[in-house]
Amino acid sequence: MKIYDLSEGELRALNENLQSANENETSWQIERPEGAHAIAVGLNAPIEVTINGSTGYYCAGMNKHATIKVNGSVGPGVAENMMSGRVIVEGDASQYAGATGHGGRLIIRGNASSRCGISMKGIEILVEGSVGHMSGFMGQSGKLVVLEDAGDSLGDSLYEAQIFVRGKIKNLGVDCVEKEMRAEHLQYLENLFKSEKIDCDAKELKRYGSARKLYNFNIDNLQNY
Amino acid sequence: MCGIVGLFLKEKQLYPELGKLLTQMLLTMSDRGPDSSGIAVYSDSDESEFSNKLTVMSANPDTEFALLKLELEKKLERKIALQQKHNHGVFHLSQEELQFVPAYIKSILPDIRTMSKGKRIEIYKEVGLPSKVTKQFGVSAMSGSHGIGHTRMATESKVTTFGAHPFSTGSDQCLVHNGSLSNHNLLRRKLSREGIEVETDNDSEVAAAYLTWQMAKGLSLEQSLQKSLTELDGFYTFLVGTKNGFGVLRDPIACKPAVMAETQQYVAFGSEYRAFAKLPEIQSARVWEPEPATVYFWEL
């Protein structure tokens, strides 16, 4: 295990070390992040990084293969554009968590604020608390699973990302509708909860998706432009 | 981008630490805005006759402050003291004097500008990074119950001392802003018709003046902030100071960041969590993001 104290060392040096880590250095621990930005970004190997404390903007951004765990809360844009791997946040996440993510799994044990999963492209996001307004906005593919409530305009202008929510929804965004929970969806959720050791009955969640009414231009709406 | 910090102390024994804590918080926000920075400090005041404070600023303090002191002593027919900090100075006045002295100063020495007036508020602001500005004014040594700091990345008006935040448009009131307002010229004309003149071209000063106007009409700060949600158009996270506390408001879209922390000892506001990293007992604080379009308020 390599331990790196960010209050003493340079962030750039840490990221360079993490980005070039090899199979002999698979376990890293970062102490005293003190809200610094862009910690553990652009990793490209199956290493494990634990951050003890809260981080600022863009923690674990562009992650590929690595497992990054934050024992604290994260600022805006955690795991932005993740390709693969796992990011676990023990606390809360600020705006646009998991934005534009192509793959991998982001788990937020607390709440995520606005625009969680905006423009998601294949990432799986599991939020054990609630998500803020405009979550899932323009989500193209992937899954957003919320175990508590969702704020204003959930799934606005959604493409083919799937959204599952257990709690209350303030309101659904344009072109987002509740959809039937089929066996394959229940199976997906059951597997997710089992693999993450979460005690939750998949049947308590509802599924939301695109009504696909915005996909094509509708001549009747011409006067609105 | 701009950086905002605020600290509201719940325990009196922490008051001497206010300036030090606020400085340390503001320094962490330096890269959010390199243009100018400023602070508003609300210090203890007594009930003596001359306990009201007028903070003024001059580009030529060495010549103008001495002159101003002489002129004011003539006008008020008493000896007065000026506590000078860099190019700002604080006079202690009676309630009655505070009403007419700012206009009198403007009439005799128009280059001297009023930064703030009130029972408790003092505002210090200048062009430059927080490290430079806080040092110039000796902010670390200041004490008080609550304070607000701002570091500016200019968007809507020139980089000058007067374009720096906080803006004060009413007694013991001030506002700092992260964001930009799109209807500030319209509002400026509306305020002008109501007899309220905004001194700079800055959008944030219009927001401050708008709140002052609402409060002058009898609304509470909370009600005024609530009303601004329908009348101010644009992006904003506001932190608004009053004699007894501060309020927070984010626009309904809430793109501009805001995070808060509360312990038994204090309530802290920051544009980012970094601002809290060195605060006492931050590990056990309740940390959360203020909701969009929701007014938060703390008072003594």
Side-chain angles (χ1 to χ4, degrees):
Chain A
M1 163 103 66
K2 285 221 163 194
I3 298 175
Y4 199 98
D5 189 332
L6 255 183
S7 64
E8 290 166 4
E10 278 285 308
L11 173 66
R12 193 176 289 265
L14 167 70
N15 278 335
E16 279 170 5
N17 280 323
L18 292 174
Q19 286 157 5
S20 56
N22 58 37
E23 60 274 14
N24 300 321
E25 302 165 322
T26 56
S27 183
W28 294 73
Q29 191 172 310
I30 300 166
E31 299 292 339
R32 297 206 277 184
E34 296 184 344
H37 299 176
I39 298 175
V41 294
L43 305 195
N44 194 19
I47 60 172
E48 286 190 18
V49 181
T50 303
I51 303 166
N52 289 321
S54 291
T55 70
Y57 281 73
Y58 309 123
C59 180
M62 302 177 284
N63 184 44
K64 210 170 173 183
H65 307 305
T67 297
I68 299 160
K69 185 177 177 195
V70 183
N71 289 318
S73 290
V74 293
V78 65
E80 193 171 69
N81 213 49
M82 176 151 68
M83 303 305 285
S84 65
R86 272 167 72 81
V87 174
I88 305 118
V89 178
E90 289 294 329
D92 297 328
S94 183
Q95 303 179 55
Y96 45 92
T100 75
H102 287 252
R105 187 178 282 177
L106 167 63
I107 298 148
I108 297 160
R109 305 261 187 239
N111 301 312
S113 73
S114 59
R115 296 171 275 272
C116 179
I118 181 171
S119 195
M120 54 198 287
K121 296 174 173 70
I123 189 176
E124 284 180 290
I125 304 174
L126 168 61
V127 181
E128 295 190 26
S130 299
V131 293
H133 64 275
M134 296 298 272
S135 287
F137 179 58
M138 290 184 89
Q140 288 139 62
S141 72
K143 293 178 172 72
L144 172 63
V145 182
V146 182
L147 299 190
E148 288 181 13
D149 303 337
D152 245 336
S153 297
L154 177 72
D156 193 283
S157 308
L158 199 63
Y159 292 91
E160 292 304 305
Q162 293 180 337
I163 303 177
F164 301 91
V165 182
R166 179 158 70 168
K168 290 191 291 289
I169 289 170
K170 195 161 178 197
N171 57 55
L172 292 173
V174 175
D175 211 34
C176 181
V177 291
E178 188 179 337
K179 292 193 161 183
E180 182 197 357
M181 185 79 101
R182 295 197 298 269
E184 72 218 62
H185 305 120
L186 286 169
Q187 190 64 55
Y188 165 76
L189 290 171
E190 277 161 16
N191 290 344
L192 174 72
F193 296 150
K194 201 172 161 194
S195 70
E196 297 300 338
K197 299 186 177 62
I198 288 170
D199 183 20
C200 179
D201 183 356
K203 291 193 199 74
E204 291 175 7
L205 282 81
K206 286 179 177 169
R207 179 168 78 101
Y208 303 89
S210 175
R212 302 186 179 114
K213 296 245 170 76
L214 294 177
Y215 273 32
N216 300 301
F217 179 70
N218 184 343
I219 194 70
D220 295 339
N221 293 336
L222 189 61
Q223 75 247 24
N224 296 328
Y225 291 94
Chain B
M1 216 161 59
C2 287
I4 301 179
V5 298
L7 190 62
F8 173 85
L9 299 173
K10 297 180 187 174
E11 289 179 352
K12 223 168 181 167
Q13 59 267 36
L14 269 177
Y15 286 8
E17 302 285 306
L18 182 78
K20 198 182 94 199
L21 294 169
L22 209 56
T23 301
Q24 158 192 309
M25 290 172 80
L26 190 60
L27 291 182
T28 65
M29 294 294 98
S30 298
D31 28 328
R32 294 191 63 89
D35 298 329
S36 43
S37 28
I39 60 132
V41 169
Y42 291 82
S43 57
D44 259 345
S45 70
D46 51 42
E47 291 307 314
S48 64
E49 190 185 356
F50 302 113
S51 63
N52 297 279
K53 291 186 280 195
L54 176 70
T55 311
V56 293
M57 180 268 169
S58 165
N60 306 300
D62 294 340
T63 50
E64 285 194 325
F65 279 167
L67 192 59
L68 176 63
K69 189 169 172 291
L70 278 174
E71 291 294 333
L72 279 185
E73 284 181 342
K74 252 192 269 169
K75 174 82 178 168
L76 304 176
E77 295 170 345
R78 66 177 180 91
K79 283 270 171 214
I80 54 166
L82 172 75
Q83 290 167 340
Q84 189 177 341
K85 289 190 172 102
H86 184 51
N87 57 1
H88 287 44
V90 182
F91 289 109
H92 287 258
L93 304 173
S94 71
Q95 185 64 37
E96 191 204 337
E97 289 165 351
L98 194 66
Q99 303 306 314
F100 68 85
V101 166
Y104 178 67
I105 294 175
K106 206 172 177 178
S107 69
I108 57 163
L109 290 161
D111 290 340
I112 293 183
R113 300 283 280 262
T114 295
M115 295 283 114
S116 65
K117 56 176 187 169
K119 196 89 185 152
R120 307 188 60 208
I121 192 173
E122 288 167 40
I123 285 181
Y124 301 92
K125 59 189 191 181
E126 196 41 274
V127 172
L129 283 168
S131 53
K132 178 187 133 196
V133 175
T134 53
K135 209 170 178 176
Q136 279 173 334
F137 295 119
V139 178
S140 287
M142 294 178 188
S143 73
S145 54
H146 56 295
I148 286 172
H150 186 273
T151 179
R152 179 176 185 224
M153 183 175 278
T155 54
E156 295 289 313
S157 74
K158 281 184 287 196
V159 177
T160 63
T161 310
F162 310 115
H165 302 221
F167 287 101
S168 183
T169 50
S171 198
D172 276 316
Q173 294 167 10
C174 77
L175 173 141
V176 296
H177 172 206
N178 176 15
S180 58
L181 300 176
S182 43
N183 65 339
H184 63 101
N185 284 326
L186 189 74
L187 269 173
R188 193 188 306 271
R189 290 192 290 272
K190 189 170 173 178
L191 289 168
S192 176
R193 285 196 295 275
E194 298 289 335
I196 298 159
E197 291 306 328
V198 178
E199 299 212 353
T200 71
D201 293 332
N202 190 280
D203 58 330
S204 313
E205 190 185 5
V206 175
Y210 172 82
L211 293 175
T212 301
W213 177 45
Q214 294 303 329
M215 284 187 267
K217 289 200 293 188
L219 296 190
S220 67
L221 173 62
E222 194 175 343
Q223 289 164 328
S224 307
L225 284 169
Q226 200 68 46
K227 200 159 180 212
S228 70
L229 280 167
T230 55
E231 295 213 62
L232 299 182
D233 187 14
F235 295 113
Y236 52 85
T237 290
F238 292 136
L239 188 57
V240 182
T242 67
K243 193 173 156 191
N244 296 318
F246 65 55
V248 173
L249 178 68
R250 303 175 79 190
D251 69 73
I253 307 285
C255 281
K256 296 297 172 190
V259 58
M260 306 217 49
E262 183 165 16
T263 70
Q264 298 284 335
Q265 295 179 306
Y266 60 81
V267 177
F269 177 96
S271 292
E272 298 175 30
Y273 178 84
R274 278 191 297 173
F276 305 153
K278 298 265 195 303
L279 285 178
E281 292 173 31
I282 187 65
Q283 301 307 331
S284 55
R286 182 171 81 94
V287 177
W288 79 102
E289 275 190 14
E291 295 276 327
T294 306
V295 176
Y296 293 81
F297 203 72
W298 285 267
E299 271 199 319
L300 291 176

